[in-house]
Structure formats: C-alpha cells, structure tokens
Amino acid sequence: MTWNISDKELAGLVGEMSLEEKVALTSGFGLWRTAANYRLNIPEILMTDGTYGVRYSIEQIDGPQDSESQLASFLTVVNADLSRGVEGAFGSTRPATCFPNGSSFACSWDVDLAHELGEALAAECQAFGVNILLGPGINIRRTPLAGRAYEYYSEDPVVTGDIAAAVINGLQENGVGASLKHFACNNSEVQRTTMSSEVEERALREIYLAGFERAIRKSNPWTVMSSYNRLNGVQAAENHWLLTEVLRDDWGYEGLVMSDWHGIKDRPASLNAGNDLDMPESGARKQELLEAVEAGRVPQDVLDASCLRVLKLVRTARAGIKPNATVDHRKHHELAQRMAAESIVLLKNEGPLLPLDGGRLGRIAVVGAAAKEPVIQGSGCATTRPTEVDIPFEEIRRLAPGAALTFHAVADFQAGSAAEATALADVDAADIVLFFGNTEVGYDGEGSDRTHLELHDGQDDLIARLASRNSKIAVILATPDAVAMPWLAGTPAVLAAFFGGQGAGHALAEILFGRTTPS
C-alpha cells in the first residue's frame, strides 16, 4: 500500500527515467489517475471530484481507461442534465453523503464543523480507495449569477480561506489530499475556457487571491488546481506570474499544481509556467510536450522538477492509505443534518411567525415541488449521489402529527385549472402556508451561468398571490446563491437553505418548529 522511499531515492528515479517516462509521469492516466511506472515500481494514485461529497463514477474509474472512452465520459459529466436525476445525468455512481454545498455551509461560519466535514469526506474517500479529493472550490462569489457559485463559500476572502483551511486539514490529517481550486478568478461559466477575468493586481491580491493565500498558509494543501479561464489575457493554466511568481515565490507553496480537466491549451507553456500535472490523459498534449523538450523549448530541469513534485505527491498519498476502511453513513447523514441546521439562514421573521407550534396547528398548506422532491445540490462535476434524502414534507408531518397537511405543486394554482379552486381553498383555510421555492434545476451549475435572479416557473408571482390571501406564509428557498425577492414586503417569514444537502429537509423542519435555533 505505502511507498516508502527517501528524497534521495526519488531524485534517483527521476534520473533513471527516459524522456517518454517523464512526460507520462507529468500527465494523467485515464480520467482520474496518475501514471504508474512498472519498470521503476512507481505506483499510481486515484483522485475524484467532490467539494461537498465524493463522486465515485463506476464507469469512469473502474471502466475502460482508453482515451476515447474517457473523453466521452468526461463530456457526459460536463454537459449533464440534472433534471433527469443524478443517475440519469451521471450514470452509475456509488452513493456518498451529500453534504451542504459551499454557499450554504459557509453561512455557518463554523470552522470546527468544517474540520468535521473534512474528516467525514476523508473517511468516505478512504473507503472508496480515493487518494485526492478535488476540492474545496473557493473562488470568490463575485456575482450570484455565476454557475458554480453554489460550490464556493463566500464573497469574503477571510471566511473563504478559514472555512477552506479547516476542510483541508480535516481531509489531510486523515490521509486524503485536497486540491484547492480553481486558481484563479474562475467567476463565469459562460465561455469559461476562453473568457478573460480582467482584474487589477491590488484587487487580485486583496480579494480574489487572498482566500487562496489564507487557506494555503493555514493548511498547506497537497495540490492546487489551475482554472479554465484566462487571467488578464493569459490562460491561468499557463500563467507564470500566477503559478510561479505568486504561488511559489511569494507564498512559498511547495506542493503540486495540476490543471483543471482539459484546461491546458499549450502543454509546453503550462509546464514552463509551473503547472506540474496535466489532467486528464491526453495523447496529443503528451506528444506536444515531448517534442518541446527535445527542441529545447522546455528545459530539462523544469520537467525534472515537476516529475519530483508528482513523485512526492504519490509518496505522501500512498502513505495516507488506510486499508479496509469503512464508513458509518448513518453518522455522516446526521452530520449532514447538523451542518444544514447550522447553515440555514433566517432572513425574516415578522410577528414573529416562527417557530411554529406543531401541537396547535390544525391545517398546514405546503406548496412547491421542492417540499417533496427537495433541491439539495447544484449540477456539475461536484454532484453527489446521496445515500439518503430527508423529505421536507414528511419531516413536517413528523413534527405536526395532529395537523391536516395538504400539498400542491405550482401548477395547481394555474388560473382556470381544475385544481385551482381546491388549492386556493386549502391556502385560505390554512393556519400556516409553507412555500418551498427554488431556482431552475439544472441551470445552476457547471457550464452555464444563471440568466436572471428570479425563482423558477412563476414562483415569485405565486408567492405574492398567496401572501395576499393568507398573511401567515413562510417561504423556504433552495437556491445556489442570492435571488430577487419582489414579494418580500408581504411575506412575514423567509428561510434560506441554499443547497443544503441530503439532511436539509430534517434541518428545515427542526428550525420551522423551534427544535433548532437558526444560527
């Protein structure tokens, strides 16, 4: 399992390698592994996605490793349609705990809880045989429209850096490496591999890079991942100022820099800039690097330095392996519930309308599909197949067993529909209306930015309409980031869960009925 080898022996291995072997070592093998070298007895390590849960794809990790199959599988993930469900979008993935997403969890401001998250993620990685978890993602949430804002912690670099450092320490103290990403200024999904983030150096240093610097100084992640975008006109994966002058020279970072998946356009330029590991495997990029070294465009000592960093990472990761590791998924689900409860934000509570007294409520009207089909996470490479999911409607029933509960989807209130009269009558007669609102599912993730700040499918208009009929209404929001709330003045209570993970349904009910105080 382990690979006990000294620094001197590692340097000796680099000296023994052929140019082809060095190029292979600094490139991935398939989608998720480093390249083993059987001639020199160099083992591989396995990595996978997950900023808030471990996404272990059976087809991608255990299936064919030829480059054509792997590229097709990668594109399937990037272009996934989460509205078809996790299985439909991602194929067969092993169940793992889906913890609250970054934009939700950072609302807890709880670094000790972040450390527990890292410990739990490490335990699930160990059980799957995963050595590196590709996260946390900590880009500054510059705009709520950003497609991957749900993965990221905050618009504030101090909160971002401290939460990230705690997660990383929890992971790495338990033998699993982190990959701090996406370095840097990956704030848009539209044209994400070609767009340029134009940022003056002072803003870079004080805002966009500060969270990375803080996390690196407090946790020393084993790897840092370069981002897809250009930064001030230069591809981040090929940006010498960013990857060498800032990261290594200014901050003293000695770990490995890897690319985002197919994020390198010019492999020789990326290696010269300080990008050690090209992920995933690309025959064309390997050939490009080989020819560049032979032609003298990439110095041999630069390639050797990257080889040594890869070998040191492999040694560290292999030393962290815990054979026959197991996971207590029930315990992790309880952690997910606790994290959600600490992260849900009470935005408004006039009256106060909340907390509810389950023993005194006669009729509860629950509106919105998310009450029965909870929106717990965003879409993209971070998406996790949950081990179980708490259903808000059932959790409400648990805490108000004597109340008459009704449920209506948004479509039930369509003017002139057969269901409209019944739905409105239930709302009118209710002691409390609980409206579960959400943004468009599947358009809040990788590869696409949100195009507006409204709730999905006419929900904003419906909230205002229902609030005008029954003033005792609480709105519960499942969103990737901020949303417009044109109905706020007429709505006495609002809870923001963001994407609260698989335990959010339980946590919401506990907060609504006063079992837990929102933090």
Side-chain angles (χ1 to χ4, degrees):
M1 284 290 187
T2 59
W3 190 43
N4 297 315
I5 187 168
S6 67
D7 285 353
K8 183 178 179 180
E9 289 170 319
L10 289 180
L13 284 176
V14 175
E16 288 185 55
M17 287 182 190
S18 67
L19 176 57
E20 289 79 5
E21 287 173 323
K22 291 177 182 178
V23 168
L25 184 66
T26 54
S27 304
F29 176 73
L31 258 182
W32 301 111
R33 290 176 171 85
T34 59
N37 184 318
Y38 297 106
R39 183 179 76 86
L40 297 173
N41 295 317
I42 299 170
E44 65 185 17
I45 57 174
L46 174 64
M47 55 194 83
T48 196
D49 277 318
T51 54
Y52 52 82
V54 184
R55 190 178 67 80
Y56 189 106
S57 168
I58 295 170
E59 289 99 333
Q60 293 173 8
I61 295 175
D62 301 334
Q65 297 299 302
D66 63 280
S67 58
E68 188 173 325
S69 298
Q70 292 284 293
L71 178 59
S73 186
F74 169 76
L75 293 174
T76 298
V77 170
V78 171
N79 300 318
D81 177 7
L82 196 61
S83 64
R84 297 185 292 126
V86 175
E87 282 300 315
F90 298 99
S92 299
T93 53
R94 293 187 181 181
T97 309
C98 179
F99 294 101
N101 293 189
S103 63
S104 173
F105 174 55
C107 293
S108 72
W109 295 63
D110 193 329
V111 291
D112 293 330
L113 202 53
H115 192 277
E116 283 189 64
L117 170 62
E119 292 174 327
L121 291 170
E124 299 201 12
C125 283
Q126 292 282 7
F128 287 152
V130 170
N131 309 111
I132 306 285
L133 191 65
L134 301 174
I138 66 163
N139 292 96
I140 292 298
R141 288 187 7 233
R142 182 186 181 278
T143 165
L145 292 172
R148 296 183 81 170
Y150 73 91
E151 290 187 48
Y152 304 146
Y153 294 130
S154 178
E155 58 274 54
D156 177 78
V158 175
V159 177
T160 293
D162 285 3
I163 294 286
V167 173
I168 293 166
N169 284 327
L171 275 166
Q172 295 184 169
E173 289 165 9
N174 290 279
V176 175
S179 191
L180 189 64
K181 65 182 188 181
H182 306 85
F183 194 59
C185 295
N186 186 177
N187 298 108
S188 171
E189 287 299 288
V190 173
Q191 300 179 345
R192 64 178 178 167
T193 64
T194 56
M195 66 83 64
S196 181
S197 296
E198 301 292 320
V199 191
E200 293 181 357
E201 185 170 357
R202 179 175 177 180
L204 274 172
R205 297 277 191 173
E206 294 183 359
I207 301 172
Y208 296 95
L209 301 183
F212 285 95
E213 181 179 12
R214 194 174 184 90
I216 285 168
R217 294 194 188 282
K218 289 191 169 191
S219 65
N220 192 27
W222 295 357
T223 74
V224 170
M225 184 188 294
S226 60
S227 57
Y228 279 128
N229 54 284
R230 290 183 292 158
L231 177 59
N232 294 328
V234 181
Q235 208 75 40
E238 300 149 20
N239 193 317
H240 186 273
W241 177 82
L242 181 68
L243 302 182
T244 295
E245 294 176 43
V246 173
L247 180 62
R248 297 200 185 281
D249 297 345
D250 291 356
W251 300 350
Y253 180 68
E254 296 181 348
L256 177 136
V257 175
M258 70 169 74
S259 71
D260 205 339
W261 266 229
H262 294 294
I264 291 175
K265 298 180 183 294
D266 183 331
R267 180 54 178 141
S270 74
L271 198 77
N272 282 331
N275 212 319
D276 303 302
L277 180 60
D278 176 11
M279 291 299 296
E281 182 180 11
S282 165
R285 293 196 296 271
K286 285 197 284 188
Q287 184 62 32
E288 186 183 18
L289 179 56
L290 184 70
E291 293 173 358
V293 177
E294 290 175 336
R297 297 194 305 275
V298 173
Q300 187 73 50
D301 63 335
V302 171
L303 178 59
D304 288 354
S306 288
C307 286
L308 194 57
R309 289 191 193 105
V310 174
L311 293 176
K312 287 182 177 179
L313 174 65
V314 172
R315 179 179 62 183
T316 301
R318 300 293 296 193
I321 292 174
K322 296 181 179 179
N324 306 314
T326 59
V327 175
D328 185 343
H329 283 299
R330 169 39 52 176
K331 179 181 175 182
H332 285 185
H333 182 65
E334 291 170 357
L335 174 60
Q337 291 173 328
R338 183 157 50 95
M339 286 175 62
E342 290 292 326
S343 304
I344 291 165
V345 181
L346 182 65
L347 294 177
K348 185 178 181 182
N349 190 25
E350 287 185 350
L353 182 64
L354 302 177
L356 304 174
D357 186 342
R360 294 188 176 185
L361 291 173
R363 298 180 67 86
I364 303 173
V366 179
V367 180
K372 288 193 172 183
E373 298 175 8
V375 181
I376 64 171
Q377 61 181 325
S379 57
C381 288
T383 304
T384 306
R385 178 187 174 190
T387 56
E388 58 182 296
V389 178
D390 292 336
I391 307 301
F393 188 82
E394 299 304 325
E395 296 291 331
I396 292 165
R397 188 194 304 278
R398 174 177 64 84
L399 296 181
L405 235 66
T406 60
F407 170 79
H408 294 282
V410 172
D412 291 348
F413 295 90
Q414 183 177 348
S417 69
E420 181 190 25
T422 300
L424 290 176
D426 285 338
V427 166
D428 292 344
D431 297 318
I432 183 71
V433 179
L434 300 176
F435 190 104
F436 285 78
N438 59 276
T439 48
E440 184 176 354
V441 176
Y443 210 85
D444 41 36
E446 192 162 358
S448 62
D449 290 326
R450 292 160 67 197
T451 57
H452 57 77
L453 291 176
E454 284 74 50
L455 297 179
H456 183 47
D457 200 25
Q459 293 178 26
D460 287 312
D461 290 341
L462 182 56
I463 293 170
R465 182 183 175 196
L466 299 185
S468 69
R469 301 182 68 105
N470 190 330
S471 62
K472 293 185 177 180
I473 182 171
V475 175
I476 300 100
L477 296 172
T479 67
D481 205 313
V483 291
M485 290 182 276
W487 34 262
L488 186 61
T491 307
V494 184
L495 279 170
F498 298 96
F499 290 158
Q502 66 183 55
H506 175 88
L508 281 165
E510 294 282 306
I511 289 172
L512 286 169
F513 288 90
R515 302 287 188 91
T516 299
T517 301
S519 87

